[in-house]
């Protein structure tokens, strides 16, 4: 039993990132009293983004100032179920955030809408190629929502974020030179697209020359001064390159701290409690209703916060971990292929290609924006024929020059085979920094029966609780997809006039290696859908088993996408909040009747 019991509130929100901030704002607007519990420190752009201390590369990118404290809580990782998992002790492969703002404070700002076909992937694959095209052991599923369902909420999120971009079609009419493959929108982007950096412009011209369809990437980095619907102001991006891993000192990169919390903190119905680590969601005797949450406050006291509604909205694997610790939903069993919590865990399949150019070509890689760049989608989603290729999934390709700083440049070094020290290393490092362009294949990762999350039977965190165990490896389908898409990049680098190219292709049989950064885009594990046998949440992100618990985050994705997850997470948060406000609060209970 907790030693302290607080006064009951209408809703408790777990996590102070994008999803939590959106739900808290929506619920307070609906007249609900809301307590937000964030396990990390209270952060604000005024303090954490204060110039010049905020652009310390050593502190931000290498000592991980605003990232998760792995000494208290982490995950264990293994490639297969016959291995013993070991703790993830040092930041490397992925970088979860911690503190108010969460990963939304340190993200880059790439802000996409989910392709319509990705939302109905199983249906689309069966229609085009037949059910036998789906490999054995692949858990391919639909989301239970469509693009048309979510379009108003994609639009709302872009207006809150102050997203910069160029549309292709609005209300079915061609209006610009945006993404040829993108679905029609109800409105244009709030701000014009960011300008191309030099390397991205080279990439754009070459992609057009070989017949692809390049476009300006949608970025939650403001291209001009902007005031969002909450009355919060943003300043124009100056291309300083200090986005990913940093609190933006220009107030130009969207974050919960800049775009929502300044308005939310002034609402008397809202209370933020930082340094409050949630241990579990408490359930009543029937195990079908949550009564509140138990957490540790900053002094180490165990506190019970009663609430009528519980919003689980932390980082992807924290949401899954909390559901498992709380007994919400049936844990996934990969042997029986039954249960839902931990099922369909996915990552993102990202590799980088580097092209080098003549010494007269200076690419100025210190200049950059976190979300800006040029991409093409010719090999993303269902934009190409997968039939003769024999794999499912795809990848956008882009130059997303976020600004390479000095230490990172030294770490990158030069082409494969470059010595790790000495005069040859110095020359290669300088040549790479001054005369190269990096481009990413930012691909999908499908869900598989033997890739999952569960509670580790051996390792415990600093609070005495079982750590979350991650069983993950690359599969043949995703490796072949990556190799095909990256082979198309060679056409672009040739048209760019590259003198040397290193194609970042995955190798057959390659295993997931936690020692090297890949991306922080983890998803799945507590997915949404129409069938409680294969999904932990219904189409409104409501727990099938505990109807006053909603779980908001990338955990809801049934399989990986080629795009960054934040745009989809934000749209799902607004979608879920809309249905909580318009339906659930009027008549609490399941929003989907079986």
């Amino acid at each position: 039993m907790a030693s302290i019991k607080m006064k009951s509130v209408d809703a408790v929100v777990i996590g102070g990132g994008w999803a939590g901030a959106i739900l808290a704002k929506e619920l307070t607007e609906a007249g609900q009293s809301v307590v937000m519990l964030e396990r990390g420190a209270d952060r604000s752009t005024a303090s954490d983004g204060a110039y010049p201390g905020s652009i310390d590369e050593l502190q931000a990118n290498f000592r991980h100032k605003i990232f998760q404290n792995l000494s208290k809580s982490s995950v264990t990782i293994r490639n297969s179920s016959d291995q013993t998992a070991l703790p993830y002790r040092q930041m490397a492969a992925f970088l979860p955030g911690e503190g108010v703002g969460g990963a939304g404070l340190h993200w880059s700002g790439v802000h996409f809408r989910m392709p319509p076909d990705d939302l109905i992937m199983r249906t689309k694959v069966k229609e085009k190629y037949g059910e036998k095209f789906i490999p054995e052991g692949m858990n391919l599923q639909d989301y239970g929502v469509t693009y048309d369902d979510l379009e108003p909420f994609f639009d709302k999120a872009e207006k809150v974020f102050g997203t910069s971009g160029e549309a292709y079609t609005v209300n079915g009419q061609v209006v610009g030179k945006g993404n040829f493959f993108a679905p029609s929108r109800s409105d244009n982007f709030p701000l014009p697209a960011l300008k191309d950096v030099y390397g991205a412009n080279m990439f754009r011209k070459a992609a057009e020359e070989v017949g692809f369809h390049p476009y300006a990437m949608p970025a939650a980095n403001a291209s001009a001064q902007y005031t969002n619907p909450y009355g919060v102001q943003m300043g124009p991006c100056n291309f300083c390159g200090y986005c990913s891993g940093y609190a933006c000192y220009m107030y130009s990169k969207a974050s919960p701290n800049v775009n929502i919390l300044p308005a939310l903190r002034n609402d008397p119905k809202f209370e933020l409690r930082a340094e409050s680590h949630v241990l579990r969601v408490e359930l009543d005797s029937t195990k079908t209703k949550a009564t509140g949450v138990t957490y540790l406050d900053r002094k180490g006291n165990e506190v019970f916060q009663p609430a009528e509604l519980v919003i689980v909205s932390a980082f992807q694997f924290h949401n899954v971990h909390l559901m498992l610790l709380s007994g919400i939903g049936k844990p996934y069993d990969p042997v029986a292929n039954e249960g839902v919590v931990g099922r369909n865990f996915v990552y993102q399949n990202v590799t980088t290609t580097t092209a080098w150019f003549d010494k007269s070509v200076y690419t100025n890689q210190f200049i950059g924006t976190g979300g800006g760049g040029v991409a093409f989608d010719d090999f993303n989603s269902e934009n190409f024929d997968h039939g003769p290729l024999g794999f499912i999934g795809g990848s956008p390709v882009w130059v997303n020059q976020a600004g390479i700083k000095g230490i990172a440049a030294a770490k990158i070094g030069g082409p494969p085979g470059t010595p790790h020290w000495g005069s040859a290393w110095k020359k290669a490092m300088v040549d790479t920094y001054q005369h190269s362009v990096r481009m990413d294949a930012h691909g999908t990762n499908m869900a598989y029966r033997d890739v999952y999350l569960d509670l580790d039977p051996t390792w415990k965190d600093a609070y005495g609780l079982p750590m979350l165990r991650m069983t993950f490896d690359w599969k043949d389908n995703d490796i072949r997809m990556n190799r095909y898409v990256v082979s198309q990049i060679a056409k672009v680098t040739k048209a760019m006039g590259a003198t040397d190219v290193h194609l970042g292709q995955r190798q057959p049989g390659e295993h997931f290696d936690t020692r090297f950064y890949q991306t922080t885009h983890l998803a799945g594990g507590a997915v949404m859908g129409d069938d409680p046998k294969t999904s932990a949440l219904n189409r409104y992100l409501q727990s099938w088993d505990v109807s006053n618990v909603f779980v908001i985050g990338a955990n809801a994705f049934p399989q990986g996408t080629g795009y960054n997850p934040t745009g989809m997470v934000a749209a799902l948060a607004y979608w879920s909040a809309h249905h909580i406000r318009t339906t659930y609060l009027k008549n609490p209970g399941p929003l989907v009747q079986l």
Side-chain angles (χ1 to χ4, degrees):
M1 293 291 291
S3 58
I4 301 172
K5 182 177 179 180
M6 305 297 287
K7 179 182 177 182
S8 184
V9 294
D10 294 321
V12 61
V13 173
I14 303 168
W18 275 120
I22 289 169
L23 266 293
K25 186 71 173 74
E26 290 287 307
L27 290 171
T28 55
E29 286 183 359
Q32 301 290 289
S33 58
V34 176
V35 167
M36 175 184 283
L37 301 174
E38 164 56 49
R39 69 176 179 176
D42 194 356
R43 301 192 190 280
S44 71
T45 301
S47 56
D48 293 274
Y51 183 87
S54 64
I55 60 169
D56 184 332
E57 184 189 7
L58 181 63
Q59 288 292 329
N61 289 133
F62 292 91
R63 293 179 178 167
H64 304 113
K65 179 182 177 181
I66 58 175
F67 295 86
Q68 182 176 332
N69 182 351
L70 297 182
S71 69
K72 291 185 176 181
S73 179
S74 184
V75 296
T76 64
I77 304 175
R78 60 183 181 174
N79 291 135
S80 61
S81 58
D82 61 350
Q83 296 176 340
T84 299
L86 294 174
Y88 181 61
R89 298 182 186 276
Q90 295 182 343
M91 290 288 185
F94 47 87
L95 308 171
E98 188 168 279
V100 174
L105 182 61
H106 73 71
W107 75 313
S108 294
V110 177
H111 190 184
F112 279 103
R113 298 182 173 199
M114 183 75 76
D117 287 344
D118 281 18
L119 294 169
I120 53 169
M121 185 170 282
R122 184 175 183 86
T123 297
K124 183 61 66 172
V125 168
K126 287 174 61 178
E127 285 177 355
K128 293 182 70 173
Y129 312 113
E131 188 159 8
K132 291 184 179 179
F133 193 77
I134 303 171
E136 184 178 356
M138 181 185 288
N139 289 341
L140 200 64
Q141 296 179 208
D142 294 346
Y143 275 73
V145 293
T146 66
Y147 176 80
D148 288 341
D149 290 330
L150 295 180
E151 199 285 332
F153 306 101
F154 283 123
D155 180 71
K156 182 171 184 175
E158 289 167 355
K159 288 179 167 64
V160 170
F161 283 46
T163 304
S164 304
E166 183 175 10
Y168 181 68
T169 54
V170 174
N171 294 320
Q173 300 296 312
V174 176
V175 297
K177 298 179 180 179
N179 183 2
F180 171 80
F181 298 101
S184 188
R185 310 161 50 88
S186 61
D187 199 1
N188 219 317
F189 285 95
L191 291 171
L194 292 159
K195 302 296 184 183
D196 293 353
V197 297
Y198 187 69
N201 191 253
M202 293 171 62
F203 177 80
R204 179 191 291 273
K205 291 177 179 178
E208 286 179 342
E209 182 180 323
V210 300
F212 299 148
H213 299 80
Y215 62 93
M217 293 172 64
N221 311 101
S223 61
Q225 183 178 347
Y226 182 71
T227 302
N228 79 2
Y230 300 144
V232 179
Q233 295 181 327
M234 302 176 72
C237 176
N238 69 353
F239 287 71
C240 75
Y242 288 89
C243 293
S244 185
Y246 301 82
C248 176
Y249 68 91
M250 291 291 293
Y251 291 76
S252 306
K253 181 182 72 175
S255 69
N257 313 68
V258 169
N259 296 67
I260 300 177
L261 287 166
L264 192 53
R265 288 177 190 265
N266 290 329
D267 193 319
K269 296 183 294 299
F270 173 75
E271 181 185 353
L272 168 64
R273 297 179 198 156
E275 299 178 64
S276 299
H277 183 91
V278 176
L279 301 174
R280 60 190 171 273
V281 178
E282 302 290 359
L283 306 180
D284 69 5
S285 59
T286 69
K287 306 299 181 184
T288 61
K289 181 180 180 180
T291 58
V293 303
T294 296
Y295 69 95
L296 294 178
D297 68 13
R298 66 186 62 191
K299 295 180 179 180
N301 298 310
E302 194 164 299
V303 181
F304 174 58
Q305 175 59 65
E308 294 299 315
L309 179 64
V310 175
I311 306 295
V312 181
S313 52
F315 187 69
Q316 173 268 338
F317 58 62
H318 299 317
N319 286 353
V320 179
H321 192 207
L322 195 57
M323 291 182 74
L324 290 169
L325 292 174
S326 305
I328 299 172
K330 184 178 180 180
Y332 176 62
D333 177 358
V335 177
N337 199 25
E338 296 177 350
V340 291
V341 182
R343 188 178 192 271
N344 283 38
F345 169 60
V346 293
Y347 198 28
Q348 190 136 44
N349 191 0
V350 182
T351 60
T352 299
T353 290
T354 304
W356 286 263
F357 298 91
D358 184 82
K359 299 300 183 287
S360 64
V361 178
Y362 287 86
T363 54
N364 300 324
Q365 293 189 74
F366 59 90
I367 298 171
T369 63
V374 173
F376 61 81
D377 269 25
D378 297 70
F379 306 102
N380 190 28
S381 192
E382 286 297 318
N383 300 338
F384 62 112
D385 186 3
H386 293 70
L389 302 170
F391 59 74
I392 294 172
S395 175
V397 177
W398 57 54
V399 171
N400 169 222
Q401 185 170 302
I404 297 179
K405 276 71 71 177
I407 302 174
K411 188 175 181 181
I412 292 168
T418 299
H420 294 292
W421 61 282
S423 59
W425 170 78
K426 292 178 182 177
K427 181 179 183 301
M429 181 190 71
V430 171
D431 286 348
T432 298
Y433 190 65
Q434 293 183 334
H435 310 294
S436 71
V437 174
R438 294 161 61 83
M439 51 207 79
D440 297 327
H442 199 269
T444 55
N445 170 225
M446 296 296 106
Y448 301 92
R449 177 173 176 170
D450 59 352
V451 173
Y452 59 98
L453 302 171
D454 65 353
L455 294 178
D456 195 290
T458 303
W459 295 95
K460 298 185 184 299
D461 61 20
Y463 311 100
L465 299 172
M467 292 173 67
L468 187 71
R469 180 170 62 179
M470 180 187 298
T471 303
F472 177 83
D473 209 354
W474 300 117
K475 299 292 188 177
D476 178 68
N477 175 88
D478 303 324
I479 291 173
R480 287 189 292 113
M481 180 280 295
N482 170 266
R483 292 180 64 79
Y484 173 75
V485 174
V486 173
S487 72
Q488 305 303 309
I489 298 177
K491 301 174 184 178
V492 180
T493 58
K494 182 179 180 180
M496 291 172 75
T499 58
D500 189 16
V501 177
H502 172 63
L503 290 176
Q505 287 181 312
R506 295 211 180 277
Q507 299 304 306
E510 179 179 339
H511 296 291
F512 174 56
D513 191 333
T514 63
R515 296 173 299 170
F516 307 103
Y517 182 72
Q518 293 170 62
T519 177
T520 309
H521 303 157
L522 299 97
V527 309
M528 61 190 295
D530 288 330
D531 185 353
K533 292 182 180 179
T534 58
S535 59
L537 313 173
N538 65 27
R539 68 194 304 262
Y540 304 108
L541 287 85
Q542 181 185 38
S543 167
W544 288 108
D545 300 277
V546 185
S547 64
N548 64 333
V549 171
F550 289 76
V551 186
I552 319 294
N555 57 270
F557 297 11
Q559 54 267 328
T561 173
Y563 287 152
N564 304 52
T566 306
M568 181 62 173
V569 170
L572 286 176
Y574 279 117
W575 156 264
S576 180
H578 171 76
H579 290 281
I580 293 172
R581 292 180 64 171
T582 58
T583 306
Y584 178 85
L585 293 180
K586 295 176 182 177
N587 184 25
L591 294 177
V592 175
Q593 301 296 329
L594 297 175

